Amino acid sequence: WSGFLDDGGDDSVAEADDSPDDSTSATSADTGLGPIASSLAESTDGETRSVDFGRFLDSMDGAPSATLHYLHVDLPHLPFSFLESGQRYPRSDWVPGMDWNSGFWIDDPWYPQQGYQRSLLLIGYIDHLVGMMLDQLESLGMLDETLIVVTSDHGVNFSAGEKRRAITEDTLAALAGVPAFVKYPGQITGMVDTANAQTIDLLPTVVEALGGRVDGLDGRSLIGRDPDVPPTKRLVTLGGDVYTVTTDEYSVLAEAEVEAALSDFPSGEGFEVVYTAAGPRPDLIGRSIDEFTTIDAGGSVSIPDEYNSVDPTGSVVPVAIVAGVHVDDRQFPEFYAVAVNGVIRATISEYKVTDDKASIYAIVPPWSFSPGPNQVEVLGISGTLDSTALIRFS
C-alpha cells in the first residue's frame, strides 16, 4: 500500500463526472457507457446521478496498480427522485412546504417530516448503490485490500419553521452531522467509533492507512489517535462563517436530533415504517374507509388522471398523490386521508391555501396499487383519535 504514494509508479486517478442537473439523462445507447452504467441507465430511465455512479463502478478494472477511484455525486440531494426500491415517481422534484427563495420550511410540521421521509427513501436507494459497489469490488477480487471511504459534505435540516441549510442552535446537529464509513484494507469486522471526528480527518486517515506521512495536514488521522483531541468541532459555512462548539455541546445537540428522528420513524423496522409512521394520523394507515362514518361536505377534489394503468413493480410508480380540495366556504379540515382502492395509505395537511382550494401532496407506498386501474380518493378527517369520521368532498 505504501507503493500508492511512490513516485514514478503507474498510479492513476479515475474520477467520474458529477452533475447536479436531474433534467438531463443518459441512455444505454449512449457511447462510452459500460455494463453497469448501461444497466442503471435502463432501470432509471437515464437518471444522470445513477448513471454517473455506474460509470464510477465501470471504471474499476481490477488492475494491480494502485488506483484512486473518486466520485462526488448529488445523492442524497434534491430532487429526491427515488424510492428505496430504486423506483422513480412523478413530481419527485416537488418539495411542498419549503420556500425555494428563502429556504424556510413552513411552520406546519408535516411537510418538513415528509421531506425527511422522502430523504430516507432516497437513502435506501443509495444503500443499494453502495451494495453494488461492494459487489463490484468483490467480483474483481479487490474488496479485501481496498480502502473505502463514504461520507457527505453536509447534512440537511427538516425542522418546521427553520431553514433547510442555515446553521442555528436548532439545526447545527442536522447540518454538521454527516456519515463517515471507513473500511480499511484487510478489515473484515465492523465497529462504531464514537470518538470525535471531522471531515478534515479523512484525508490524513487515508494517507496513513496507505503507509504515508500525515505531517502538515489540517486534520488528524483517525488511526491510533487520542479520542478526546481535539475537544471541539469547527464548522465553516460556504460564506466563510465559522462556528466552534465543544464535543460535549455537540453531543447534546446530536442526541436530541437522533431522538427526534427516531420519534418520527423508529429504527430497525425496515422501510415499511417510513410509509406507515408518517403524517398526523398514522393510526388510520391500513384501515378501510368503510370502517368510518362519512360526512358529505360538498365541494370537489381535483386529482391528476394517472391511475388507470399502474404497474406497481415498474420503474416508475405514481406514489406522490397531489390534489386540490375545493370548498366554497373555505372551511377546510385540519388533516386529510389519502385512500387507494378503499384503504387509507397516507394522512397529511395542506401545504398551501389559495382562494377556495387547499393543495396537498402525499406519499403512499407502491404496494398500495394493484396492476391496472386504481381508485385514489382524498377525504377530510374529522373528530378525535377515539371518534373519527371522514369527510367527502363531492
Side-chain angles (χ1 to χ4, degrees):
W1 282 97
S2 59
F4 185 95
L5 301 164
D6 292 342
D7 292 331
D10 188 26
D11 306 334
S12 60
V13 175
E15 181 173 346
D17 292 335
D18 169 36
S19 171
D21 184 5
D22 191 42
S23 63
T24 61
S25 63
T27 68
S28 57
D30 287 347
T31 59
L33 289 188
I36 301 176
S38 294
S39 175
L40 286 171
E42 183 175 353
S43 65
T44 67
D45 294 325
E47 201 271 345
T48 304
R49 298 171 297 178
S50 300
V51 175
D52 284 346
F53 197 90
R55 287 192 177 106
F56 172 63
L57 299 187
D58 284 326
S59 72
M60 302 174 183
D61 57 9
S65 61
T67 305
L68 172 64
H69 296 270
Y70 170 81
L71 174 69
H72 175 203
V73 63
D74 284 334
L75 288 170
H77 209 283
L78 299 178
F80 292 116
S81 297
F82 291 98
L83 303 177
E84 82 290 351
S85 60
Q87 294 170 293
R88 301 185 71 186
Y89 56 103
R91 302 179 187 85
S92 62
D93 57 336
W94 291 23
V95 189
M98 190 192 76
D99 186 303
W100 281 100
N101 294 321
S102 68
F104 274 98
W105 289 106
I106 60 177
D107 291 330
D108 184 316
W110 305 116
Y111 282 94
Q113 185 206 58
Q114 184 187 88
Y116 180 47
Q117 173 198 33
R118 297 170 66 194
S119 178
L120 288 176
L121 296 172
L122 176 55
I123 289 170
Y125 173 62
I126 297 167
D127 185 69
H128 168 69
L129 294 179
V130 172
M132 290 180 64
M133 177 184 69
L134 298 178
D135 289 343
Q136 173 73 340
L137 289 170
E138 187 171 35
S139 70
L140 295 171
M142 298 168 58
L143 180 58
D144 180 65
E145 64 179 7
T146 297
L147 171 69
I148 302 172
V149 178
V150 179
T151 191
S152 178
D153 52 354
H154 60 79
V156 65
N157 168 60
F158 295 104
S159 299
E162 297 275 3
K163 276 192 173 183
R164 189 174 66 94
R165 292 277 298 276
I167 294 179
T168 68
E169 183 175 341
D170 292 330
T171 66
L172 186 147
L175 294 168
V178 298
F181 300 101
V182 180
K183 199 280 297 180
Y184 296 106
Q187 181 181 352
I188 58 174
T189 302
M191 61 173 290
V192 176
D193 189 342
T194 60
N196 184 25
Q198 302 180 99
T199 51
I200 57 172
D201 299 331
L202 293 174
L203 176 57
T205 300
V206 169
V207 173
E208 182 172 357
L210 301 181
R213 296 176 59 87
V214 294
D215 300 338
L217 299 178
D218 289 336
R220 63 198 178 96
S221 173
L222 302 178
I223 301 172
R225 85 288 196 198
D226 183 339
D228 297 322
V229 178
T232 60
K233 286 187 178 291
R234 185 170 179 265
L235 314 173
V236 183
T237 70
L238 186 63
D241 296 326
V242 178
Y243 296 80
T244 301
V245 295
T246 69
T247 53
D248 289 340
E249 290 170 335
Y250 178 79
S251 294
V252 171
L253 296 174
E255 288 171 7
E257 180 71 20
V258 170
E259 183 178 350
L262 293 179
S263 69
D264 284 338
F265 302 107
S267 179
E269 298 186 22
F271 278 97
E272 182 174 349
V273 74
V274 180
Y275 294 101
T276 59
R281 291 293 303 274
D283 59 296
L284 301 182
I285 304 300
R287 298 176 63 179
S288 169
I289 59 177
D290 293 336
E291 297 180 36
F292 301 93
T293 299
T294 56
I295 303 167
D296 190 351
S300 63
V301 178
S302 56
I303 301 175
D305 183 18
E306 57 189 24
Y307 305 102
N308 291 326
S309 180
V310 177
D311 178 4
T313 63
S315 61
V316 179
V317 60
V319 299
I321 310 296
V322 298
V325 178
H326 303 264
V327 179
D328 292 336
D329 59 7
R330 292 177 57 88
Q331 297 299 307
F332 298 104
E334 183 179 10
F335 302 128
Y336 300 85
V338 176
V340 181
N341 299 325
V343 178
I344 298 173
R345 296 300 187 180
T347 63
I348 196 64
S349 57
E350 76 264 355
Y351 67 88
K352 180 174 66 175
V353 174
T354 55
D355 297 327
D356 67 337
K357 184 179 81 170
S359 299
I360 72 166
Y361 182 112
I363 298 292
V364 301
W367 59 82
S368 305
F369 298 101
S370 300
N374 290 261
Q375 182 181 20
V376 175
E377 299 175 83
V378 174
L379 307 100
I381 301 174
S382 177
T384 64
L385 287 172
D386 297 327
S387 179
T388 298
L390 299 179
I391 303 169
R392 290 190 181 276
F393 306 99
S394 59

